[in-house]
Amino acid sequence: QVQLVESGGGLVQAGGSLRLSCAASGGTFSGYSMGWFRQAPGKEREFVAVISWSGRVTSYVDSVKGRFTISRDNAANTVYLQMNSLKPDDTAVYYCALDQSGNVGSSFARRIDSLYWGQGTQVTVSS
């Protein structure tokens, strides 16, 4: 019954910014970790970022470090991905994901088949 709904995707020029949101419903989500994956055309889905329930632990794929920031508002059951200095290589469908086991880091990144997923939101960065 867990549902995740992403929003905030769109078209932006290189160097611009977007803020993605993912709202969760269907539970209290205590202890859950949440994060983001992305899938570019013709490529496999890849891990982007994850945040622990407390917000004290975060992890990012190397290609977005220093440009993307993940955060969460537990009162709103929402996770955010602030994307700055966007590059054309960031173009992809971005998927929100939730892990009820609370995994972070590589443990989260490798649980593709065990996560709850949103429907995806398109991010397109023009050169």
Side-chain angles (χ1 to χ4, degrees):
Q1 198 63 41
V2 174
Q3 295 183 340
L4 304 174
V5 180
E6 301 104 328
S7 62
L11 175 64
V12 65
Q13 291 184 321
S17 298
L18 286 173
R19 183 179 176 88
L20 305 184
S21 299
C22 175
S25 63
T28 61
F29 307 109
S30 180
Y32 288 12
S33 58
M34 296 181 69
W36 298 87
F37 288 74
R38 66 186 180 185
Q39 188 164 22
K43 297 186 180 296
E44 296 183 355
R45 189 170 300 190
E46 69 169 347
F47 164 78
V48 177
V50 64
I51 187 168
S52 65
W53 177 254
S54 69
R56 293 191 293 268
V57 180
T58 59
S59 183
Y60 302 88
V61 66
D62 286 346
S63 61
V64 309
K65 288 180 179 177
R67 300 188 297 119
F68 291 10
T69 302
I70 189 169
S71 61
R72 67 190 299 166
D73 180 351
N74 289 350
N77 294 325
T78 300
V79 65
Y80 305 94
L81 187 67
Q82 178 66 47
M83 305 185 294
N84 298 326
S85 302
L86 283 162
K87 305 175 180 179
D89 285 349
D90 296 317
T91 295
V93 177
Y94 283 70
Y95 295 92
C96 178
L98 183 152
D99 183 359
Q100 64 182 4
S101 297
N103 289 291
V104 295
S106 60
S107 297
F108 178 89
R110 294 169 180 172
R111 287 178 58 85
I112 291 177
D113 295 334
S114 301
L115 304 173
Y116 292 99
W117 295 96
Q119 82 288 350
T121 185
Q122 176 71 48
V123 171
T124 302
V125 184
S126 62
S127 60

